[in-house]
Amino acid sequence: MWVVGILAVLWNAGGAFDFAATVTHWEPYMKNFTAEQLDFFYTFPMWQYIIWGFATWGAFIGSILLLTRSKLAFWAFAVSLACTLISMAYSLTLTDAPEGTSNPVFTAAVILIAIFLFAYSLWLTRRGILR
């Protein structure tokens, strides 16, 4: 459980950082994108930012809760998974996304990891490890 928990914290910290840097328009991070990509990111509808925030921060908080053996980790991962699926489904329907803003392999990895963490936390809860 510790290995999965630590890897989950590290992976999800990256997502939480990406979200925070994008929402705050943090220049040292955002300078890696083209003007077209920045315009695309900065014009997301508000609901997309909210869903994205719940997806990333829910997973990060869930990872920390997993390390503390709290069964609230399950609920954090459940919210994160639902929001991840909504966010990714919306992203996949966009036809005006600039080149370089979407990577199907990375998208699949994000979804698979979210499913794994949800299922893993459910399994740990049912075994009585998360309390």
Side-chain angles (χ1 to χ4, degrees):
M1 186 183 83
W2 286 102
V3 171
V4 171
I6 290 168
L7 290 174
V9 167
L10 294 173
W11 168 260
N12 290 311
F17 172 79
D18 177 60
F19 174 79
T22 302
V23 169
T24 62
H25 300 202
W26 191 48
E27 199 274 327
Y29 181 71
M30 300 311 290
K31 72 180 179 184
N32 296 308
F33 299 98
T34 67
E36 185 181 25
Q37 290 170 329
L38 292 175
D39 185 51
F40 175 72
F41 296 141
Y42 295 158
T43 58
F44 282 165
M46 182 55 69
W47 70 265
Q48 174 67 6
Y49 280 113
I50 293 168
I51 294 293
W52 183 20
F54 275 105
T56 56
W57 285 96
F60 181 66
I61 292 166
S63 301
I64 293 169
L65 290 169
L66 186 71
L67 288 174
T68 65
R69 296 175 59 159
S70 169
K71 66 180 170 183
L72 292 175
F74 166 78
W75 293 107
F77 287 132
V79 168
S80 174
L81 175 59
C83 291
T84 296
L85 292 173
I86 293 167
S87 178
M88 295 300 183
Y90 174 72
S91 296
L92 291 174
T93 65
L94 297 176
T95 57
D96 60 342
E99 189 168 329
T101 57
S102 179
N103 179 333
V105 174
F106 185 73
T107 298
V110 168
I111 292 169
L112 290 173
I113 291 169
I115 291 169
F116 169 77
L117 290 172
F118 168 75
Y120 185 67
S121 66
L122 176 62
W123 181 71
L124 291 175
T125 299
R126 287 183 175 168
R127 291 191 62 212
I129 295 170
L130 301 183
R131 319 180 236 20

